[in-house]
Amino acid sequence: MSNSFVYVTYIRTTPEKLWEALTDPEFNRQFFLCSYQESDWKVGSSWKLIFPDGRLADSGEILEIDPPRRLVIKWRNEWMPEVKADGYTRCTFTIEQDGELMKLVVTHEADGPHSLIGNVAKGWPLVLASLKSLLETGKGFERPPSKG
């Protein structure tokens, strides 16, 4: 895939706890700005990201899963018509242990020019900072910071 966004962070946690945070809906709500994911986390299974009000934010399919090391999701935005029209992207989560830290790499890719990449470049840093905060302090972010 030719258009990509890559984010790397280090989190003081265990691989199992990081994996649980990434795949458990109750954990998701604590760091994903109150949104959560739905899937049975098997290759070929459907995947959804649900807004706090129950609307569908994004959808896709589990392409690869290797707990607690790697997760690949076929991903499409569902709430912005111009972005949905671009079709599917691919989001890969890779977890590697580095001493007492977990290195989390999130790579979101699309073929050709794709408007979702610009949006994820704004969204992933906030979501992943919230994830890091949750796992290290016990509290994620409740909402995006105010503009201003």
Side-chain angles (χ1 to χ4, degrees), residues 4-111:
S4 66
F5 172 81
V6 179
Y7 191 91
V8 180
T9 189
Y10 290 83
I11 304 172
R12 191 177 312 277
T13 191
T14 66
E16 295 78 17
K17 198 68 162 176
L18 179 51
W19 186 263
E20 182 182 8
L22 290 172
T23 59
D24 179 82
E26 292 311 311
F27 244 119
N28 292 168
R29 284 182 173 95
Q30 296 177 63
F31 79 86
F32 222 123
L33 312 175
C34 300
S35 296
Y36 61 95
Q37 299 174 93
E38 286 184 354
S39 182
D40 67 5
W41 305 108
K42 296 177 185 164
V43 171
S45 294
S46 68
W47 168 88
K48 296 176 184 173
L49 180 65
I50 310 295
F51 283 127
D53 65 7
R55 290 179 300 130
L56 181 62
D58 301 308
S59 70
E61 175 185 341
I62 304 299
L63 298 177
E64 295 177 39
I65 189 160
D66 181 17
R69 291 177 280 287
R70 183 173 165 87
L71 173 64
V72 182
I73 301 171
K74 181 179 174 182
W75 187 307
R76 181 179 69 194
N77 177 275
E78 297 291 343
W79 61 281
M80 293 183 284
E82 68 283 1
V83 177
K84 182 177 181 176
D86 284 343
Y88 286 96
T89 59
R90 176 183 173 109
C91 187
T92 303
F93 300 84
T94 306
I95 299 169
E96 297 174 22
Q97 189 151 359
D98 186 354
E100 63 183 22
L101 301 174
M102 293 303 112
K103 178 183 178 183
L104 174 63
V105 180
V106 177
T107 306
H108 211 132
E109 305 169 282
D111 285 324

Side-chain angles (χ1 to χ4, degrees), residues 135-146:
L135 290 171
E136 293 183 347
T137 72
K139 186 161 174 55
F141 306 157
E142 294 177 14
R143 61 173 182 75
S146 300

Side-chain angles (χ1 to χ4, degrees), residues 4-7 108 115-126:
S4 66
F5 172 81
V6 179
Y7 191 91
H108 211 132
S115 55
L116 181 63
I117 298 302
N119 289 302
V120 301
K122 296 173 191 167
W124 276 127
L126 180 61

